[in-house]
Amino acid sequence: MGLRPNLLTRRAAGVASTTLALLLSTAAVGVVPAASAFSAAPGGACAEPADSHANARVKPGAAATHEPNELTAKQVRERDADLAAALRERANFRAGAGATTLATVTIPVVVHVIQENSTRAGGNIPDSLITSQISVLNQAYAGGTGGAATAFAFRLDKINRVTNPSWYPIVDGSSAERSMKSSLRVGGKNTLNIYLGELSDDLLGWATFPQRKLSSSDGVVVLNESLPGGTATNYNQGDTGTHEVGHWLNLYHTFQGGCGGSGDSVSDTPAEASAAFECPTGRNTCSATGLDPITNFMDYTYDSCMYQFTPGQASRMLTAWNAYRAA
Ligand SMILES: [Zn+2]
């Protein structure tokens, strides 16, 4: 209950921040602003206690216990070492600098709608949901819902509808998924390929992290009914897309590493012992300063609860863009 008013609060903030987004895009300095002009919290609509779901951003009662983007500490060390190495390879990069000389980056997006048949239940979602998803991405990454403005904007280039029952549902890690992606993926490292469909294990989505060598698996898989206006209750405002694109741009979960170590490798997301579900306002699972970042797009809370990236995340994404995806 109370989720819709909260949604209106978030989207209204998006309208109000248009000026900020324009400032970012026209300033051409490429430095991510230190802080958003907006700090509005969701309107108190989400006050349910934490529940006992397993550790994946999945629908309640889901079979999955592990989202593909959850990493071990070793994997994080390897990824961060690779990022540092990739940056060293870039002649125009000054070591240690978080922001670079790029202005706003517009990412071309190709959406592959995987269908089992021509029915809605068979994956045939309307174009309107897809255009709404692109709007949600643009608002979220512009800081328009209350978080930091990032360097990124999204431009829908194509909707590619594919009817193939052997690819439906999309099964994480399957040979069918590899076949689907190698058949359909288009563009260079900078092109965001989004695959929509019913997903295995009640997952909401998964994504590839950036790599120095472009892989045919590169892209984001998102539950079709998680798009804005879809039927995935509590997860149908498009923030699964926002979350998975965050991974595609090299962000970890806010609960990566728990309370210790370097956590998610971002300094301004307070440490969090584990994923948060629903919208547990006031949750504080680590002794370090700061409440758990339950409103961050890289946690597992309801769409109505998550509305922001931090300046540190914005900087990490731009750094990774320059290391891995920029032309
Ligand atoms: Zn994730």
Side-chain angles (χ1 to χ4, degrees), residues 35-307:
S36 167
F38 298 90
S39 58
C46 48
E48 297 179 72
D51 65 9
S52 57
H53 295 311
N55 61 337
R57 186 168 191 241
V58 295
K59 291 170 282 186
T65 58
H66 186 81
E67 189 207 22
N69 294 100
E70 294 180 11
L71 302 178
T72 65
K74 180 170 182 285
Q75 288 172 316
V76 167
R77 285 195 300 274
E78 290 170 352
R79 281 215 54 78
D80 284 349
D82 189 75
L83 173 59
L87 290 172
R88 284 194 296 271
E89 287 182 3
R90 292 273 174 166
N92 63 348
F93 183 83
R94 290 172 298 152
T100 76
T101 53
L102 274 183
T104 300
V105 175
T106 299
I107 298 176
V109 182
V110 176
V111 177
H112 308 278
V113 183
I114 311 302
Q115 301 178 203
E116 184 174 40
N117 53 50
S118 62
T119 68
R120 174 73 179 251
N124 187 13
I125 58 166
D127 286 0
S128 59
L129 267 67
I130 296 166
T131 53
S132 294
Q133 178 68 66
I134 300 298
S135 297
V136 165
L137 288 174
N138 277 316
Q139 283 200 26
Y141 282 83
T145 55
T150 78
F152 301 100
F154 301 85
R155 181 191 71 230
L156 178 62
D157 276 4
K158 186 180 182 186
I159 297 174
N160 176 34
R161 292 182 178 273
V162 180
T163 300
N164 187 337
S166 68
W167 292 342
Y168 197 96
I170 304 171
V171 179
D172 172 50
S174 66
S175 59
E177 183 197 10
R178 288 191 291 277
S179 170
M180 173 192 78
K181 286 180 166 178
S182 61
S183 299
L184 302 181
R185 195 194 183 286
V186 295
K189 290 180 176 180
N190 67 326
T191 301
L192 172 61
N193 282 250
I194 299 178
Y195 303 87
L196 302 176
E198 178 64 36
L199 306 185
S200 62
D201 302 315
D202 291 321
L203 287 164
L204 289 161
W206 61 86
T208 56
F209 291 104
Q211 294 180 296
R212 278 190 267 181
K213 186 176 188 307
L214 179 61
S215 163
S216 65
S217 69
D218 184 77
V220 166
V221 179
V222 174
L223 174 67
N224 48 19
E225 295 290 355
S226 77
L227 269 54
T231 61
T233 304
N234 296 316
Y235 303 99
N236 60 354
Q237 295 176 22
D239 289 330
T240 294
T242 304
H243 175 108
E244 301 304 339
V245 172
H247 287 312
W248 188 78
L249 292 169
N250 212 36
L251 293 187
Y252 303 138
H253 293 130
T254 49
F255 49 89
Q256 178 68 47
C259 296
S262 59
D264 62 356
S265 304
V266 172
S267 61
D268 58 3
T269 51
E272 184 175 38
S274 60
F277 292 92
E278 301 185 354
C279 197
T281 300
R283 186 177 191 257
N284 191 10
T285 55
C286 295
S287 58
T289 302
L291 296 176
D292 292 1
I294 66 161
T295 60
N296 195 281
F297 287 124
M298 299 314 291
D299 206 337
Y300 278 172
T301 50
Y302 285 160
D303 282 11
S304 56
C305 188
M306 57 172 58
Y307 62 89

